[in-house]
Amino acid sequence: MNIAILCSGNGTNLQAIIDGVKSGYIPAKIALVASDNKDAYALTRAKQAGIDTLVLNKKDFTSREEFDKEIVKNLKKRGAELIVLAGFMRLLSPYFIKEYKNRIMNIHPALLPSFKGTRGIKDALESGVKVTGPTVHFVDEKLDHGPIILQKAVEVRGDDTEEALLERVHAEEHKIYPEAVKLFVEGRLKIEGRRVRIL
Ligand code: GRF
């Protein structure tokens, strides 16, 4: 199966998936890494692994949908069957989501449905929860909302800082994201309404 990964930043989750493919844990090919940020370190990681990259600048497009049409065109050209969002800091248009219904995954650094949005770590820390952790979910039309695939609990310590908590949440992301991709590629994820059954 060809998969594509969309990133805007550092790309540590991308790296975990690249490593998973390289070792044979994920039986798939990464056909494309695309970014909306030409300076994303994720692009360097992709190039180092010999993966094709694509950079799109939102300023070159008149609307979100036009931007997404260009990405989708490239994804189709490469035969991508699964789209993995790994720190992609753009909302997808309904057009994109429809084109790849139930074939787009995202990772969020909190236990959804808690702490949606871009401040998942900070909001969890400030709320005083004792447990947080990453969520991998399918993407639907609402932000951080689609059916949940995997989650991992991470204990919040009394003396935690945002940086310390982020580091521990990230370490778990790097385990559950490759696992979720593997499960999808192997055809072992079955969506039943809001629930995802692992076969
Ligand atoms: C992760 O914390 C993920 O949960 C969020 O964006 C961050 C991406 O980090 N969606 P990286 O670029 O994979 O290092």
Side-chain angles (χ1 to χ4, degrees):
M1 184 185 293
N2 281 348
I3 65 178
I5 308 183
L6 310 189
C7 310
S8 302
N10 188 355
T12 60
N13 282 285
L14 166 70
Q15 189 66 56
I17 295 166
I18 289 174
D19 294 346
V21 168
K22 260 196 191 151
S23 72
Y25 175 69
I26 302 171
K29 179 186 170 199
I30 305 174
L32 184 69
V33 168
S35 181
D36 60 335
N37 171 14
K38 68 173 175 31
D39 299 320
Y41 187 63
L43 291 167
T44 305
R45 294 179 190 274
K47 283 175 195 150
Q48 277 168 357
I51 300 165
D52 285 353
T53 60
L54 170 74
V55 179
L56 296 179
N57 185 342
K58 69 173 184 208
K59 289 192 186 122
D60 296 336
F61 299 89
T62 51
S63 67
R64 184 176 301 279
E65 186 159 322
E66 290 307 312
F67 181 99
D68 283 4
K69 276 190 174 153
E70 185 62 25
I71 295 201
V72 167
K73 196 175 93 191
N74 280 279
L75 297 174
K76 295 219 160 142
K77 204 162 78 188
R78 317 265 171 165
E81 292 182 61
L82 169 67
I83 315 305
V84 178
L85 308 183
F88 189 58
M89 300 307 283
R90 272 179 74 81
L91 282 177
L92 304 189
S93 62
Y95 164 78
F96 193 149
I97 293 166
K98 215 170 110 221
E99 287 294 314
Y100 282 96
K101 193 170 165 34
N102 296 340
R103 292 187 163 273
I104 309 171
M105 275 184 194
N106 182 44
I107 188 152
H108 181 75
L111 294 173
L112 293 174
S114 292
F115 313 120
K116 295 176 176 162
T118 55
R119 305 180 356 142
I121 298 281
K122 193 166 196 270
D123 288 349
L125 195 58
E126 285 176 0
S127 77
V129 291
K130 302 294 186 195
V131 176
T132 186
T135 301
V136 181
H137 64 96
F138 284 110
V139 171
D140 67 8
E141 294 74 17
K142 294 187 203 155
L143 178 72
D144 298 332
H145 176 268
I148 291 170
I149 302 166
L150 293 175
Q151 294 186 301
K152 181 73 196 215
V154 172
E155 194 189 336
V156 182
R157 296 177 184 154
D159 60 352
D160 253 339
T161 59
E162 219 180 298
E163 294 69 35
L165 183 56
L166 178 79
E167 200 181 314
R168 297 203 311 288
V169 171
H170 261 178
E172 296 303 333
E173 288 184 359
H174 301 156
K175 294 179 202 157
I176 67 168
Y177 217 0
E179 186 183 347
V181 172
K182 175 189 174 69
L183 289 169
F184 184 94
V185 170
E186 292 178 344
R188 292 169 59 198
L189 298 179
K190 189 155 184 268
I191 303 177
E192 294 173 346
R194 292 285 307 154
R195 301 176 74 180
V196 177
R197 204 142 60 85
I198 298 173
L199 306 174

